[in-house]
Amino acid sequence: MSLPHALLGLLAVQPRSGYELTKVFEQDLGRYAWQAGHTSIYPELNRLAESGLVEVSHEGARGSRTYAVTEAGRSELRNWLLSPPRQTRVRNEPVLRMFLLSALEPADALVVLRTIAENTDASATELRKVREVDPEGPMTGAEGFGQLAAEYGLRQYEAVRDWARWAIERLERETSARPS
Amino acid sequence: MSLPHALLGLLAVQPRSGYELTKVFEQDLGRYAWQAGHTSIYPELNRLAESGLVEVSHEGARGSRTYAVTEAGRSELRNWLLSPPRQTRVRNEPVLRMFLLSALEPADALVVLRTIAENTDASATELRKVREVDPEGPMTGAEGFGQLAAEYGLRQYEAVRDWARWAIERLERETSARPS
DNA sequence: ACCTTACATGTAACTGTTGACATGTCAGTA
DNA sequence: TACTGACATGTCAACAGTTACATGTAAGGT
């Protein structure tokens, strides 16, 4: 149940409407960290408002409501982020695929590994461009969010790519050394 | 819904009982890739057996049933692993925490980052020891599974640690450069 | 004989999430 | 004026996953 904290965190950086929050979850946040659709977000915002952790700071056109964290909400967020990282539920399909590679014959495994290496390398290259738009921008606030995220994603991609290359090399060496 | 494929993959490496599969999910697989308890595994095994993708290869003591993949199951697994990686559901609390760091004041963010850097460094050191037990073991089969997993986990930890150190450095530089 | 621990499998209620459905506003344009 | 697309929020049924409950066997120690 991290969704309330995710919302609290986003609203702590700047007040937003449910619709805007939905958009954020479609970007890097939902891509790397936590995914949520508007059908989860709107009810959760109402719950948070009821508990007094957020409040409607502005009502705009088309019935839009902009939410902002309250002091209680900011305190709850800080509490959560500074508390010991509890055990976490992992559910990562790409990683699962990597784990299951051993179940394939070496030739098939190599095909998959090469695809992984290519895709992650391409993604890393793309992210590097994004990062270079403003390489020395501030790390806190709305832009800093993107900076941290971009750098994290970049390093993730590079790590997976390098792992895939390492695995390919070992697998090739092994296959040629003792062919079945 | 990757659980059936995870089970198929594990059984493709070697036949196991539901109990043994449960144990595997408590190790690295559940730690890095996909987590599942016995209450999901047993019903799923029954479903897979009904669809003919696995079969009971042996019945042992205490009512234990050892499952093995059928040809159909092996084909389904290969299909899934070689097919284009569909979009995946991300749900990763540690990463979410990193994303939300920007919502904290720099001093608090530094505390969290230092903890992350220390923890991931410790985990990396531990994993490096595990890996060195058999650094040149085979990559396929039951042992190779562990080798790939260990290397992947190691590189993940190191990547996160390096990212945290990078973020700490930038944050410190920024804080001292223009203190609020 | 009794107790404890690990082995081994299962059901059912509850909770959380998603997908389909639903409604309405506002701006631009044909 | 009518249409289209983006904006904006919402409900509800279906489904997935977890927790708590439940049962029983085998091995080893006291």
Side-chain angles (χ1 to χ4, degrees), chain A:
Chain A
M1 266 226 341
S2 305
L3 179 60
H5 294 109
L7 294 175
L8 244 30
L10 291 176
L11 295 178
V13 173
Q14 70 177 253
R16 296 177 217 244
S17 69
Y19 188 82
E20 289 168 329
L21 288 166
T22 303
K23 295 293 165 192
V24 174
F25 277 94
E26 284 167 8
Q27 311 294 312
D28 289 343
L29 182 71
R31 192 176 167 74
Y32 299 112
W34 204 267
Q35 169 241 320
H38 78 278
T39 55
S40 316
I41 293 169
Y42 288 121
E44 188 61 51
L45 282 172
N46 287 326
R47 273 191 290 274
L48 287 170
E50 271 173 45
S51 354
L53 300 178
V54 302
E55 62 188 5
V56 177
S57 68
H58 175 73
E59 304 208 359
R62 279 171 278 200
S64 85
R65 268 156 293 154
T66 301
Y67 290 87
V69 276
T70 61
E71 266 318 302
R74 207 171 282 274
S75 156
E76 166 62 29
L77 174 67
R78 182 173 184 274
N79 229 12
W80 182 72
L81 279 171
L82 290 176
S83 69
R86 321 156 311 151
Q87 187 185 282
T88 166
R89 277 113 199 74
V90 178
R91 193 98 352 157
N92 193 328
E93 194 186 296
V95 177
L96 174 63
R97 283 166 176 267
M98 297 174 198
F99 267 71
L100 297 184
L101 240 44
S102 324
L104 288 179
E105 306 199 1
D108 285 339
L110 276 172
V111 170
V112 177
L113 282 169
R114 288 200 186 102
T115 308
I116 291 173
E118 279 162 30
N119 289 342
T120 49
D121 190 50
S123 299
T125 304
E126 206 177 305
L127 259 185
R128 213 175 284 115
K129 277 182 205 151
V130 172
R131 192 190 51 168
E132 277 162 9
V133 171
D134 184 14
E136 294 297 324
M139 272 189 60
T140 48
E143 311 82 42
F145 188 85
Q147 287 286 311
L148 273 177
E151 185 71 25
Y152 181 84
L154 176 60
R155 284 161 186 263
Q156 282 290 98
Y157 280 134
E158 286 175 342
V160 175
R161 178 201 57 194
D162 294 344
W163 171 85
R165 287 180 178 167
W166 168 88
I168 288 168
E169 204 185 298
R170 281 201 57 161
L171 207 50
E172 278 175 344
R173 189 147 44 88
E174 221 173 279
T175 309
S176 62
R178 34 191 175 91
S180 54

